Amino acid sequence: MPYLTDTREISDIVSEYTKATTLWIDTEVAEFNSRNARLSLIQVLDNPDDMSGDRVYLLDVLDKPSLVADFVEQIMVNPNIEKVFHNASFDVKYLGSKQAKNITCTLEIAKKIPYYILPVPNYQLQTLATLLCNFNNIDKQEQGSNWAQRPLTEEQIEYAYLDCIYLAQIHRRLLELQAESNPDPAIEDITFLNARFSQIEAQWKLLNSEYEHLQERLKKAMQAQDISETTLYKLTSYDRKVVKVQFSQLTDLVQTQGINLDFPVTLTQKLQKDLGENLEQLSVDIEQSTSSRLTLKNQENNS
DNA sequence: GTCGGGGCAGCCAATATACC
DNA sequence: GGTATATTGGCTGCCCCGAC
């Protein structure tokens, strides 16, 4: 886990990375909760098979904006290099934001995989590393540590390089699960899907009806007994506000005040009926769409 | 043909979740 | 604490279906 602080050495390795096709990247941000938030470290792994950490380079970029700009220009903006992050939007915000191209986010991949294929309580890097890749004893205490201090502690450096290792391993497993959860519809086994779907539908109806019923009963009971929290659940409520005005009053105001206000209004079937033949005087925009649904066939006709 | 209920989808505001 | 995105729950519109 080479830890580079020398500007020249960092520039050299960044130049090397321009030849890569995929990089697994994490960052540490100093004073993240202030207006002075700035990059402290950029950790880069260029070989996902490395578990030793030898291929994870820690680039110390604290208060070296020209190095960060160089990294953005050579790596982040380059569409030929895939950059893999966990919760990419957070890191990318400090690394070129919208200019960044070819970004992969393991958090987004994970969330798109159905729960039954990836049953995890949350999608934190630590959780995925433990449950998906069998890493144990992961310490996330350093996450909130002082990344503005120099020198960094051994624990901070250890934490920083391990995150890249976890990231690459999680990414690999997620790609496998993603492939499993996205079969080509053209070659799916419809007989199998029919059987499995009808099999779990019966169980689902039974379980779901109890689930929804219990949820309603629990909510009502907690409200009635004025209990906002149990050992397992908390009940929150909020006031919603909907502001309404008569359509005629709104149009009058817009006309008399000369307000620039124009937007499409959905003409519901009722409105269309109310407008009658007047509808023909309007240049309406019609959006067509097709929706499909699956219904159980009548079992009597099915025999 | 009309009416009403149920299922589904879309919209919106509030809230939760990731990261450091 | 900042920020982007997803989720949740209420509301509404639309369609289908059964009853009359």
Side-chain angles (χ1 to χ4, degrees), chain A residues 68-81:
Chain A
V68 175
D70 188 39
F71 189 86
V72 170
E73 197 179 314
Q74 298 209 54
I75 309 295
M76 298 304 292
V77 176
N78 189 337
N80 300 317
I81 309 171

Side-chain angles (χ1 to χ4, degrees), chain A residues 197-237:
Chain A
F197 187 67
S198 73
Q199 184 188 23
I200 68 167
E201 190 185 17
Q203 300 167 16
W204 170 78
K205 275 187 176 172
L206 204 61
L207 204 57
N208 193 52
S209 74
E210 186 178 0
Y211 174 83
E212 289 181 349
H213 189 218
L214 283 176
Q215 189 182 49
E216 271 311 300
R217 282 170 59 192
L218 184 58
K219 273 171 74 173
K220 281 181 183 168
M222 287 172 75
Q223 275 165 351
Q225 295 170 38
D226 202 22
I227 293 169
S228 65
E229 222 173 297
T230 67
T231 49
L232 295 173
Y233 296 100
K234 66 172 178 176
L235 185 68
T236 52
S237 62

Side-chain angles (χ1 to χ4, degrees), chain A residues 1 43 52-53 56 58 156-165:
Chain A
M1 43 165 165
Q43 305 98 281
S52 67
V56 179
L58 310 189
Q156 283 179 308
I157 291 172
E158 172 95 354
Y159 166 82
Y161 96 84
L162 277 173
D163 263 6
C164 265
I165 305 273

Side-chain angles (χ1 to χ4, degrees), chain A residues 14 20-21 53 105 107 119 124 168 179 250 268:
Chain A
V14 171
T21 52
C105 177
L107 174 65
Q124 293 170 16
L250 178 65
T268 62

Side-chain angles (χ1 to χ4, degrees), chain A residues 88-103:
Chain A
S89 65
F90 178 82
D91 305 272
V92 170
K93 198 169 60 187
Y94 299 96
L95 288 171
S97 51
K98 284 181 181 155
Q99 296 176 60
K101 297 279 181 306
N102 200 352
I103 304 296

